[in-house]
Amino acid sequence: HLATRYEIDVVTDLPEIADPWIAANCRRRTTAWFRSNGHRYDRVLYQIGNSAFHTEMFDLIADVPGVVTLHDFAVSGIMSYRDGIGRASRPWEAEVYHSHGYGALIADRDATDRSDTVWTYPVNLSLLQSATGVIVHSRAPRLLAAAGYGAADGDDWHLVPMPRDTAGLPDRSEARRTLGIAHDELLVCAFGIIGPTKLNDRLVDAWAASECHRSQRSRLVFVGEAHDEGFETRLRDRIRYHELGDVKLTGRAAAEVYALHLAAADIAVQLRARSRGETSASAFDCLGAGVATIVNESEAFSELPDGALLVLDAEVADEALTDAIDSLATDGERRVLMGAAGRRYVRLHHRPSVSAAAIHAAIEASWSAPSRSPRMNRRYARSPSTQASPPAALTPERHAARRIGLEGVSL
C-alpha cells in the first residue's frame, strides 16, 4: 500500500529478504551503500526498536536523518549492547548523560549491574534528536515521553495503527490437520520471542496447575525462538520439572509455521513484564486471526474495545493466569465472541491500507515542517529524575510521488 505513494528501496545486510513481495518489488541496498548515498533519497523511514537487529540504525540515522517508527520507547538495551561489542559511536556513559544528566550517570556508576540502568532509563535522546519525525503505534510512548522529558514532549508524534493483514491465513481445519491437532483438542499458544520479559516461565507454572493440562486433551506451544540461551535452558528445565509432555517449543518459526499455529489456536497467551512503551505485534496477530487472547494490563491495549481481550492485572498472579486459561478452555462461546471482536477491531482499524495512508501523512508532515522537526531538537531536555527489520531507502518514483528510504523495515 505504501508503494502506491513511493518507490521503495529496502536497505539491509541480510543475505536474503524473507518477504516475497518485498523481494520481488523493492530494490535492495546495503547499509554501506546507503550511508554514502542516503542523501539521494527524498524521504527516509526507519523502523527502530530495542533490539540487536537494529544495531546499524543508530549510526545511520545520525548520518542520514529520517522519520522513525519507534517500536520501543526505551532503547537502552540496544545502546548497552552496541557499547559492549564496540559498535557505539560514543560510550554508554556519554549516552546516559546526554539523555538523562548527572543523576542517571551517578546511578549508573553506583549500580552493581548495568542492567539496573538499562531497566530504569530509556537512553533515547540522541535517537529522538536525529529523527525528523516520530511514528508510534500506541499512546504509551507519548505518555512516557511526557513523563520523562516534559509535559509537551511526544504530542507531535504521529500515532499510526500497526498494520495487520488478516487475510491469507490457512484454513483452520487444514492447519490443525497439518499440525496433528485433533478436532477435540485445545491448542493454547504463546507467540513471539521467548524471554524473561514475556513471562514464559510463569505461563509454564500456570499451565502445570491447570485443568487443561490435567485433561490430557490440551497442548501448550511456544511459537518463537529464544534470544537468551540461559533463559531457554531454564524454561526447558521447568517443563521437565513439571513433567509437561503437552508443552512444546517450536524454536525459530518460519512464517508458514507461525501462520499455521495462528490459524489452529483456540487460545493465545501474550504476557509482558516491565513494559516500556512497546506494542506487541504478535498480540495484534492473534486478534486479527480471531484467537481468544489473554494479556496482562498494558497501555498498548487500553485503546481496544471491551470484550476483545481477557485482561489480567499488570503484575499477574499464577493463580489468576491458571483460572483465565481454564475459564476460556471451558467456554467455547466466549472464545468465539472474543475472537470475533478482535478480528472486527483489527479489520476496521489496522488494515494495511489505513495504516499506509497514516504513515504517508506522517512522513509528509515531518518533511514539510520547517527545519525538520525543530520542536524535538529544541524541547527535549535531560531529566535526572527519569524513571523510567532491515533499513529501506528511495529512488525516482513511479507514481509522481517522492522517493522514500525505509530503514529497518519489518513488513
Side-chain angles (χ1 to χ4, degrees):
H1 296 276
L2 203 57
T4 63
R5 295 169 169 86
Y6 304 106
E7 183 170 338
I8 301 172
D9 286 358
V10 174
V11 181
T12 179
D13 291 329
L14 293 173
E16 63 180 71
I17 296 174
D19 188 290
W21 189 93
I22 295 175
N25 293 278
C26 300
R27 187 162 53 188
R28 183 169 175 263
R29 298 295 193 184
T30 65
T31 54
W33 184 95
F34 181 72
R35 192 185 303 278
S36 299
N37 295 275
H39 64 278
R40 297 168 52 183
Y41 291 98
D42 298 306
R43 303 288 186 267
V44 178
L45 176 64
Y46 291 84
Q47 305 282 340
I48 296 182
N50 192 31
S51 164
F53 291 123
H54 301 148
T55 298
E56 299 288 343
M57 300 301 105
F58 296 85
D59 289 337
L60 280 177
I61 195 171
D63 294 336
V64 186
V67 176
V68 170
T69 301
L70 192 63
H71 294 282
D72 299 281
F73 179 75
V75 294
S76 46
I78 179 58
M79 286 295 196
S80 175
Y81 172 78
R82 293 174 74 243
D83 180 71
I85 63 172
R87 298 286 290 278
S89 56
R90 61 180 172 184
W92 162 255
E93 293 79 7
E95 290 288 359
V96 171
Y97 171 73
H98 180 69
S99 287
H100 307 292
Y102 280 117
L105 195 60
I106 293 169
D108 181 62
R109 181 201 63 189
D110 294 343
T112 56
D113 190 296
R114 181 183 286 185
S115 63
D116 294 342
T117 309
V118 168
W119 280 108
T120 302
Y121 298 95
V123 194
N124 56 8
L125 184 58
S126 60
L127 169 63
L128 298 175
Q129 288 178 325
S130 295
T132 61
V134 177
I135 292 172
V136 294
H137 293 311
S138 78
R139 293 187 302 240
R142 285 174 160 178
L143 297 175
L144 289 169
Y149 291 120
D153 290 307
D155 61 4
D156 57 347
W157 293 5
H158 301 274
L159 181 57
V160 171
M162 176 178 283
R164 277 295 170 271
D165 190 352
T166 60
L169 283 179
D171 173 75
R172 174 177 167 82
S173 297
E174 183 60 34
R176 291 175 73 90
R177 277 195 295 271
T178 301
L179 294 172
I181 308 295
H183 73 279
D184 60 344
E185 276 189 282
L186 189 86
L187 177 59
V188 180
C189 293
F191 294 90
I193 292 171
I194 291 171
T197 62
K198 302 299 183 67
L199 301 178
N200 308 111
D201 49 350
R202 301 281 301 283
L203 176 53
V204 166
D205 290 344
W207 181 260
S210 71
E211 291 297 329
C212 276
H213 164 59
R214 287 192 285 273
S215 75
Q216 299 185 355
R217 296 301 296 167
S218 303
R219 303 189 196 186
L220 171 63
V221 181
F222 293 92
V223 187
E225 65 180 319
H227 287 177
D228 181 333
E229 291 183 6
F231 181 82
E232 181 181 7
T233 298
R234 293 191 298 275
L235 186 65
R236 291 185 182 277
D237 288 345
R238 209 175 197 118
I239 292 168
R240 282 192 290 270
Y241 172 79
H242 288 299
E243 299 180 340
L244 299 176
D246 54 358
V247 177
K248 174 186 174 183
L249 280 66
T250 66
R252 183 176 178 85
E256 296 80 6
V257 173
Y258 187 92
L260 282 170
H261 284 85
L262 263 183
D266 297 291
I267 300 170
V269 182
Q270 303 296 131
L271 305 176
R272 283 182 180 267
R274 304 173 100 173
S275 178
R276 307 175 78 198
E278 68 276 5
T279 301
S280 173
S282 52
F284 278 94
D285 285 339
C286 297
L287 289 170
V291 181
T293 303
I294 300 169
V295 299
N296 54 334
E297 190 174 5
S298 166
E299 180 63 31
F301 299 127
S302 65
E303 297 148 46
L304 271 68
D306 293 341
L309 294 166
L310 197 168
V311 183
L312 305 177
D313 291 341
E315 301 295 329
V316 59
D318 289 352
E319 296 82 3
L321 181 54
T322 298
D323 290 346
I325 293 170
D326 284 337
S327 173
L328 285 182
T330 57
D331 194 341
E333 183 179 356
R334 186 181 182 188
R335 295 201 307 270
V336 170
L337 291 173
M338 286 177 63
R343 186 185 293 113
R344 185 165 54 248
Y345 179 84
V346 170
R347 286 179 177 173
L348 182 62
H349 297 285
H350 293 265
R351 291 196 313 276
S353 59
V354 172
S355 297
I359 292 168
H360 173 256
I363 292 170
E364 295 307 305
S366 299
W367 241 269
S368 63
S371 71
R372 302 272 185 88
S373 192
R375 296 170 65 195
M376 200 167 290
N377 287 299
R378 183 174 67 245
R379 289 198 328 236
Y380 274 92
R382 294 189 297 272
S383 173
S385 63
T386 300
Q387 302 293 322
S389 335
L394 313 139
T395 66
E397 233 185 328
R398 289 187 297 263
H399 305 285
R402 296 179 177 83
R403 294 175 295 186
I404 181 167
L406 301 179
E407 284 300 336
V409 165
S410 136
L411 300 174

